[in-house]
Amino acid sequence: MVAASGLRSTPRPKTVIFSNSKGGVGKSTLALLMSLGLATRHQDASVKLIDLDPQATSSESLKRFCDRRFSVVNDSGLNLDDGAPNNEKIIQLIDAERNNKFKKRFVVVDSPAGTQPHRSAFLFQCDIMLIPTSVSDADIFATKKYLAGLHALFSQHEYRHTFAPPALIVLPNLVDSRDEFNELRHALAREQVYLGKPLYYSPAFRRAFREQRNDENIRIIFNQAQPYTLWLTSLLTQSHRLEKRPKKLFQL
Ligand SMILES: Nc1ncnc2c1ncn2[C@@H]1O[C@H](COP(=O)(O)OP(=O)(O)O)[C@@H](O)[C@H]1O
Ligand SMILES: [Mg+2]
């Protein structure tokens, strides 16, 4: 099944996966910004958000925007009984997007905390992986460990010759100051990944998932984070520009 997906003529949709073993680092917030950013910026494109988190943070918040271009999936079949991702089902879902009629197709995957790379073969099906982290020691430690797990997964022989691994980009989030960002950069200096632009702490983000009839909270966040969202969506649309694995930390 996995190998067959590479053989068809329609290209795979441009796919981004937000992931980190750590919770509370901004995966769902950034998946929300990415999904709405892509849908607003590319009016000729379809956007599908696949929310793998049983807590359904991003999908609950985004389902009110669903229309013929924008769809949200969150169901219990996406995870196995022991909590690991149902790789086959996720790959099928991404693959099924080939059949839709839109000129451009985007898939955004939001993952729960605690996922283990070695049980996540579906990670091979994306163009880029975005890995948010805060600057706290605990988050940096967990992120480094998670990156080591990803490198181990992507160097596995059985897949390496069939799929190009995605570009890995760490996204500094909840950052307080430029000094803090530099601290993170130092801490990750030896990692063979890309380092994204910092997203600073802003109280408006705390209200990102609040449901409101007029969506005022989303509008405020979007106005405030406009340059960042533009940059974030370009990462996906221009993903072919990212050489797959930098030799050392490469700041974007
Ligand atoms: N840049 C930010 N500034 C302020 N709060 C943020 C920011 N990014 C995320 N948050 C808040 O932090 C909490 C965790 O974010 P969330 O996206 O749910 O993380 P995850 O999906 O990784 O568990 C949420 O309450 C969210 O609103
Ligand atoms: Mg989340």
Side-chain angles (χ1 to χ4, degrees):
M1 214 295 305
V2 175
S5 65
L7 300 174
R8 285 186 232 145
S9 53
T10 328
R12 185 180 70 201
K14 279 268 183 191
T15 303
V16 53
I17 299 178
F18 287 89
S19 193
N20 195 337
S21 52
K22 203 69 168 50
V25 288
K27 297 180 293 293
S28 300
T29 306
L30 289 159
L32 176 141
L33 269 190
M34 177 67 104
S35 307
L36 291 178
L38 288 168
T40 352
R41 214 180 141 196
H42 300 276
Q43 299 282 333
D44 56 348
S46 66
V47 177
K48 184 188 275 297
L49 171 83
I50 303 177
D51 185 2
L52 303 180
D53 193 339
Q55 288 184 29
T57 314
S58 50
S59 49
E60 272 301 316
S61 167
L62 286 177
K63 68 182 185 200
R64 64 199 144 132
F65 297 108
C66 284
D67 60 13
R68 48 182 264 288
R69 285 202 303 124
F70 193 88
S71 59
V72 166
V73 188
N74 173 259
D75 72 71
S76 50
L78 294 172
N79 294 298
L80 302 171
D81 287 344
D82 64 358
N86 185 343
N87 288 296
E88 197 172 329
K89 177 114 192 259
I90 299 165
I91 294 168
Q92 270 169 13
L93 259 179
I94 297 174
D95 222 35
E97 278 301 282
R98 289 172 198 264
N99 300 327
N100 91 25
K101 296 180 292 297
F102 286 88
K103 202 162 135 209
K104 292 188 224 157
R105 298 175 229 88
F106 298 111
V107 173
V108 178
V109 181
D110 183 16
S111 332
T115 52
Q116 296 170 321
H118 74 277
R119 297 201 58 190
S120 309
F122 76 95
L123 296 177
F124 276 96
Q125 302 296 316
C126 68
D127 299 278
I128 56 174
M129 271 191 79
L130 297 180
I131 303 149
T133 181
S134 86
V135 189
S136 83
D137 289 346
D139 285 358
I140 294 174
F141 181 77
T143 300
K144 282 183 168 180
K145 204 168 156 205
Y146 185 67
L147 290 175
L150 289 178
H151 289 315
L153 171 75
F154 292 132
S155 55
Q156 267 175 31
H157 273 291
E158 56 174 313
Y159 298 116
R160 213 171 53 194
H161 302 296
T162 320
F163 302 104
L168 305 181
I169 306 158
V170 172
L171 294 180
N173 185 24
L174 296 147
V175 178
D176 249 347
S177 62
R178 193 74 201 176
D179 282 351
E180 239 192 33
F181 173 67
N182 287 335
E183 230 175 85
L184 178 70
R185 207 176 49 186
H186 278 292
L188 297 176
R190 289 167 184 274
E191 299 293 330
Q192 299 186 324
V193 294
Y194 293 98
L195 181 65
K197 291 191 191 305
L199 181 59
Y200 286 87
Y201 176 88
S202 158
F205 283 104
R206 296 252 170 244
R207 297 182 278 276
F209 304 110
R210 189 178 300 173
E211 203 158 325
Q212 278 185 334
R213 215 177 308 148
N214 58 6
D215 297 321
E216 178 68 4
N217 50 342
I218 298 276
R219 200 181 57 75
I220 292 170
I221 290 165
F222 247 71
N223 280 345
Q224 223 179 65
Q226 205 178 28
Y228 183 84
T229 309
L230 203 65
W231 172 79
L232 191 69
T233 53
S234 301
L235 276 183
L236 184 60
T237 54
Q238 307 287 306
S239 62
H240 54 278
R241 294 198 177 168
L242 300 172
E243 185 200 319
K244 296 299 177 190
R245 188 166 167 183
K247 296 236 157 32
K248 54 180 176 136
L249 191 72
F250 187 103
Q251 195 177 331
L252 295 170

